[in-house]
Amino acid sequence: MTDWWEKDVLTMRPGIRKRLFLLMLLGCTLGILFLGMPMLYGIYEMQSLVSGKDEIISRAVSYYTTDFAKEQAQEQIEGEAEIRAGIMGYEAGMVQADVQYICDELNSILQAPGKYSPKTIPNALYEVVPRGTVYVHFSPELVQKGVSPELEQEIRRVANIATTMTKLGEYYQCVFVVSKHGYIIRFDAKKEADAISQLSKEPWRHTYDARKGNWYSSGLKHSSPAYTESYLGTDGELVLPCVTPYYDANGIAGVVGVDCKPDNFLPVEEEGNINFFALGSNGEVLLKELEEKFTADFPLGQDLQKSNITSLSFAARRMVKGNIGYRKLNFEGEEYYLSYAPVPRQTWSVGTLMEKARVTKAAKDAQGRMMGKMDELNASLQRMVALFAGLLIISVMLAVALVSYGSARASEFFCRPLRKLMEAAKEIAKGNFSHKLEVIPEGDEINHLAACFNGMTDELERYEDEIARISFETSRIEAELAAAAQIQISLLPAPLPQNEAFQLAAAMYPAKEVGGDFYDFFYVDQNHLAVIIADVSDKGVSAALFMAVAKTVLKNSILSGKTESSLAEAVALANDQLSAENEEGLFVTVFAGILELNTGDFTYVNGGHNPPLLLEGDMLSYLPLTKKSPVLGMMEGIPFEEKKMCLGKGSRLFLYTDGVTEAMNVSGQMFTKERLEKKLSLLSAKAEPGEVIEDVLLEVQRHAGAAEQSDDITMVALNYAGRG
């Protein structure tokens, strides 16, 4: 007795089973012929092509990879040059700002001497003064002429600059004030090997007259801080002076300035494989930090445009013109790359020397990797041909078996029940989830399918009810979040009454319904204004709750201190209270300051927050960071440090959270503090705080575009006008 397949074929009954069998068999056959065979042939031809031209393809691919890697390296060289030039420009501007700061303080002392008490500092001419101490020194001419009582009083008044010189002296080789009358007030940086100040040594002690230096005469010719030519200082080290004249009631009183070291402009790498130098507007070498083997080719003060090394002189001419680029150089048989770029806001150009091996290493590595990948590709193609051929044979055998079995089972078991399923599906589509199919107990797979179908209708009914419940719950949560957002807004301080001494504005824009940022401002007493900005480490409801607690604790701690002298203690007390029961591990960065409205004295504590920006006229700078600035809420008993400064009339403070500088656009690029600095520097000095916040917000939104806000944005702007 033949099986069902043989009987069907012999009798040629035109049933569903036969039609399904023939149709499925035809489809599998066509699929194998039209898909499998061309793919097998294509893989075989590709493997043959790769095998026959393996060397040519490998060489071409490796050359392309090498060229591409070299292009990337060249772009990296030019990019690094621009970065170093930008760093040098920024640092040079900060040095000039420091010099101007000392100059302004000197002008105030000399033009209003009655406001300053006389102060005595050691005289290096008559006693040994240790480094790290501000001292005075008299030139031989002044010693011979004698110090009049009036000049003695002037020196003792000018000695009030000692505090500022000591603070700035941590960053420079030397800070000095040279009077036209022949005395110099100076601060020498500390050194472990030599603890004596330079003018306490011989022969400078009895012979030194700072007015004979080229930098002194050059400084008298400028009206603002400017760099003069570099020279070897009294201690034999290379320095680049930045000087400017200062004034008394009669006009120019002398020159004030600092001696800069190379690392004041660019950090020196310890590995020694990065060498840099800076050229002035005439091609002269202003400063350098080079290995010993390059020293002879980069003489200090010499015009590199006239160098005997042709490639170096060519590069120097392009540097003087303000170009960006790189050039190969040869030193003692070794090749180097010289990359260069102009220094922003200066007439300099900075050059960096890098070994060729460092630049081309990526290209060589890429070439080796590509050659290895080509060998792996050839082997993979061979394995693929064999594997695909085997799979093709197995697929043909499985296709015939499955077609035979599938056509029979489909015609036998699914035709009649499928019609019932179709009718039932139509009822379900109408929304009649109560419609059921008849299920025979202990039936076959079709009956099991019917039971599953009935179960599906039950699940659909439950799902419909669940959707309604979830919709209701979602609406309730949204309403609660909206209420929480209104409560959080109500926690922020109301605008203060108008005050002639200052203008103040603040705004917070949460990334979610509720946020973790907050700000606060209030009067400690009639003459002291407290300003706070903070950022909780998390987002959402938990951060909002922690924000409310932190705001209350901070305000209560500051008000309990009563005066600005206890600000650090007040912040430490708030930290202890926030850390005591902080089981969630949340923390908050805080900047808190107290402004004395009569004098402009500003006391502040920075607890791990972004340093605010200070705008004084056209000058923009960051408030100096405190040495101890931990975040609040992590650990009890942490001490905090407070700093003090004096805001002049017209000074402007801008406080912000990192939601401003870290706002991202759709490409993932951040707004960055450089864009913030540029925007603030373009705003008018007469702009009111509210206008400043609106303009910064518009700039951030313009940068973000269609990107979703990723973090809370909070800003506080304060203009100090003073009283009277």
Side-chain angles (χ1 to χ4, degrees):
M1 183 176 180
T2 58
D3 59 19
W4 64 268
W5 183 83
E6 291 175 328
K7 289 193 294 181
D8 243 20
V9 173
L10 292 174
T11 56
M12 297 298 289
R13 290 180 298 178
I16 295 177
R17 181 171 58 188
K18 180 182 293 185
R19 291 195 294 270
L20 285 173
F21 172 78
L22 293 176
L23 182 62
M24 295 170 66
L25 182 61
L26 178 62
C28 290
T29 303
L30 292 176
I32 292 172
L33 291 176
F34 287 99
L35 296 178
M37 294 304 294
M39 290 179 63
L40 179 61
Y41 178 78
I43 295 175
Y44 175 77
E45 287 296 318
M46 183 183 296
Q47 191 272 334
S48 300
L49 179 63
V50 172
S51 298
K53 298 183 178 181
D54 178 75
E55 183 177 354
I56 297 175
I57 295 175
S58 299
R59 187 183 299 112
V61 172
S62 66
Y63 285 166
Y64 173 80
T65 306
T66 301
D67 292 340
F68 178 78
K70 286 182 177 179
E71 291 178 3
Q72 294 296 311
Q74 292 170 2
E75 292 179 4
Q76 179 184 358
I77 291 172
E78 296 182 359
E80 289 181 356
E82 289 188 85
I83 291 173
R84 287 191 175 86
I87 294 173
M88 177 172 283
Y90 174 79
E91 295 296 340
M94 294 301 294
V95 172
Q96 291 173 314
D98 288 344
V99 173
Q100 185 61 49
Y101 182 83
I102 303 174
C103 178
D104 292 341
E105 188 169 350
L106 276 173
N107 292 339
S108 299
I109 293 173
L110 290 175
Q111 295 177 22
K115 295 182 179 180
Y116 298 87
S117 301
K119 183 176 181 182
T120 301
I121 56 177
N123 193 322
L125 188 62
Y126 306 113
E127 59 183 297
V128 176
V129 181
R131 281 183 173 268
T133 302
V134 177
Y135 62 93
V136 66
H137 178 268
F138 297 158
S139 67
E141 178 184 346
L142 181 58
V143 172
Q144 182 179 5
K145 184 179 179 181
V147 180
S148 65
E150 293 80 10
L151 185 58
E152 176 68 24
Q153 286 298 314
E154 176 183 318
I155 295 172
R156 296 185 64 188
R157 300 285 186 186
V158 174
N160 282 278
I161 200 70
T163 301
T164 301
M165 295 179 70
T166 301
K167 292 181 179 179
L168 294 179
E170 298 176 6
Y171 309 104
Y172 301 103
Q173 185 77 1
C174 174
V175 182
F176 51 85
V177 176
V178 181
S179 170
K180 64 183 179 181
H181 299 297
Y183 69 85
I184 177 173
I185 295 179
R186 174 168 166 151
F187 178 94
D188 295 333
K190 290 184 178 180
K191 292 184 178 179
E192 294 181 2
D194 189 355
I196 301 175
S197 62
Q198 203 62 31
L199 298 187
S200 289
K201 303 176 183 179
E202 296 295 344
W204 299 284
R205 183 180 234 179
H206 294 94
T207 61
Y208 185 73
D209 188 346
R211 296 173 299 174
K212 295 180 180 181
N214 292 335
W215 51 268
Y216 178 84
S217 57
S218 178
L220 294 175
K221 300 175 183 178
H222 294 88
S223 59
S224 60
Y227 292 92
T228 65
E229 61 183 17
S230 54
Y231 69 103
L232 293 178
T234 53
D235 54 358
E237 294 188 8
L238 173 65
V239 294
L240 180 64
C242 180
V243 295
T244 190
Y246 65 96
Y247 302 84
D248 58 16
N250 299 319
I252 295 179
V255 171
V256 59
V258 297
D259 282 343
C260 304
K261 298 173 290 185
D263 57 2
N264 281 121
F265 302 98
L266 281 178
V268 180
E269 298 188 10
E270 295 180 357
E271 294 81 0
N273 57 356
I274 294 295
N275 302 274
F276 74 88
F277 62 94
L279 298 186
S281 59
N282 297 319
E284 73 277 14
V285 179
L286 291 177
L287 56 88
K288 59 184 178 180
E289 189 65 34
L290 301 169
E291 295 178 57
E292 186 175 355
K293 60 185 175 181
F294 300 119
T295 303
D297 296 313
F298 296 84
L300 190 65
Q302 295 295 320
D303 185 357
L304 283 191
Q305 298 177 96
K306 301 177 182 179
S307 173
N308 294 329
I309 303 175
T310 304
S311 54
L312 180 58
S313 63
F314 177 84
R317 288 192 292 272
R318 291 185 59 81
M319 292 174 68
V320 170
K321 293 179 180 179
N323 292 323
I324 301 173
Y326 70 95
R327 190 166 184 82
K328 292 182 181 179
L329 300 179
N330 190 295
F331 292 99
E332 299 180 359
E334 296 182 11
E335 287 190 338
Y336 290 82
Y337 279 85
L338 169 61
S339 60
Y340 49 86
V343 177
R345 298 179 296 278
Q346 302 293 337
T347 59
W348 309 342
S349 181
V350 61
T352 304
L353 286 171
M354 288 183 287
E355 296 177 355
K356 179 182 178 182
R358 181 185 177 190
V359 177
T360 59
K361 182 179 182 301
K364 291 181 179 179
D365 292 345
Q367 183 179 17
R369 288 194 299 268
M370 285 306 303
M371 294 297 291
K373 292 297 182 181
M374 288 302 300
D375 294 337
E376 293 178 9
L377 175 62
N378 191 18
S380 298
L381 287 174
Q382 293 178 354
R383 291 193 298 270
M384 190 179 296
V385 170
L387 178 63
F388 194 86
L391 290 176
L392 191 61
I393 295 173
I394 295 173
S395 298
V396 171
M397 297 174 63
L398 289 176
V400 174
L402 290 174
V403 165
S404 300
Y405 179 79
S407 61
R409 298 298 294 174
S411 61
E412 184 175 354
F413 292 105
F414 294 111
C415 287
R416 288 190 301 272
L418 284 177
R419 294 190 183 93
K420 295 182 179 180
L421 285 173
M422 291 173 61
E423 294 297 328
K426 291 180 181 179
E427 291 295 323
I428 297 300
K430 295 176 182 179
N432 183 13
F433 298 142
S434 62
H435 182 78
K436 297 293 187 291
L437 289 173
E438 180 182 358
V439 179
I440 301 175
E442 299 180 359
D444 56 13
E445 288 81 356
I446 298 298
N447 285 281
H448 179 67
L449 178 61
C452 292
F453 185 89
N454 292 336
M456 180 189 69
T457 60
D458 294 335
E459 290 297 325
L460 286 173
E461 287 184 293
R462 286 194 293 272
Y463 183 70
E464 187 177 34
D465 295 338
E466 183 68 14
I467 288 176
R469 186 189 66 79
I470 292 175
S471 298
F472 174 79
E473 184 67 19
T474 301
S475 299
R476 183 184 64 81
I477 292 174
E478 290 177 351
E480 290 179 355
L481 285 175
Q486 290 298 322
I487 294 173
Q488 186 177 36
I489 291 173
S490 68
L491 291 175
L492 296 177
L496 295 175
Q498 290 187 353
N499 191 305
E500 65 176 4
F502 68 90
Q503 291 181 313
L504 178 67
M508 184 184 74
Y509 307 93
K512 297 182 178 180
E513 288 82 358
V514 291
D517 286 3
F518 70 88
Y519 63 84
D520 201 357
F521 44 80
F522 51 87
Y523 286 108
V524 179
D525 54 39
Q526 292 182 350
N527 192 41
H528 292 86
L529 172 69
V531 180
I532 300 174
I533 189 168
D535 185 358
V536 179
S537 59
D538 202 356
K539 304 289 182 293
V541 176
S542 61
L545 293 174
F546 194 75
M547 162 264 191
V549 174
K551 177 179 179 296
T552 303
V553 168
L554 271 169
K555 184 173 183 179
N556 291 340
S557 298
I558 292 174
L559 289 176
S560 66
K562 299 302 181 183
T563 64
E564 71 276 10
S565 61
S566 61
L567 180 59
E569 297 177 1
V571 175
L573 176 62
N575 172 66
D576 292 343
Q577 295 178 14
L578 291 174
S579 303
E581 299 181 0
N582 186 9
E583 297 180 358
E584 298 297 327
L586 297 176
F587 63 87
V588 58
T589 66
V590 174
F591 179 89
I594 296 179
L595 175 63
E596 186 173 350
L597 302 182
N598 287 338
T599 64
D601 289 340
F602 186 64
T603 303
Y604 64 91
V605 173
N606 192 328
H609 199 76
N610 301 319
L613 283 158
L614 173 64
L615 294 94
E616 296 180 304
D618 295 332
M619 298 299 298
L620 183 147
S621 61
Y622 289 91
L623 292 189
L625 293 174
T626 56
K627 294 181 179 179
K628 299 176 181 179
S629 59
V631 298
L632 277 68
M634 295 298 292
M635 182 184 299
E636 297 182 57
I638 299 177
F640 288 80
E641 180 185 2
E642 65 183 37
K643 277 187 173 293
K644 294 184 178 181
M645 65 178 297
C646 183
L647 299 181
K649 293 185 178 181
S651 297
R652 296 167 288 161
L653 279 176
F654 183 79
L655 290 68
Y656 63 97
T657 60
D658 54 14
V660 176
T661 54
E662 296 179 5
M664 292 186 290
N665 57 20
V666 292
S667 301
Q669 296 176 332
M670 292 187 179
F671 184 71
T672 72
K673 66 178 183 180
E674 287 78 14
R675 286 191 175 93
L676 176 59
E677 294 168 5
K678 181 178 180 181
K679 181 59 181 177
L680 290 176
S681 64
L682 293 176
L683 293 176
S684 171
K686 298 181 180 179
E688 295 185 356
E691 297 175 353
V692 173
I693 291 177
E694 290 180 2
D695 288 349
V696 172
L697 178 63
L698 288 175
E699 190 70 16
V700 172
Q701 292 174 339
R702 188 180 300 110
H703 169 78
E708 183 179 357
Q709 183 178 336
S710 59
D711 198 0
D712 303 333
I713 294 176
T714 302
M715 295 175 283
V716 178
L718 171 65
N719 292 0
Y720 177 66
R723 285 181 172 171

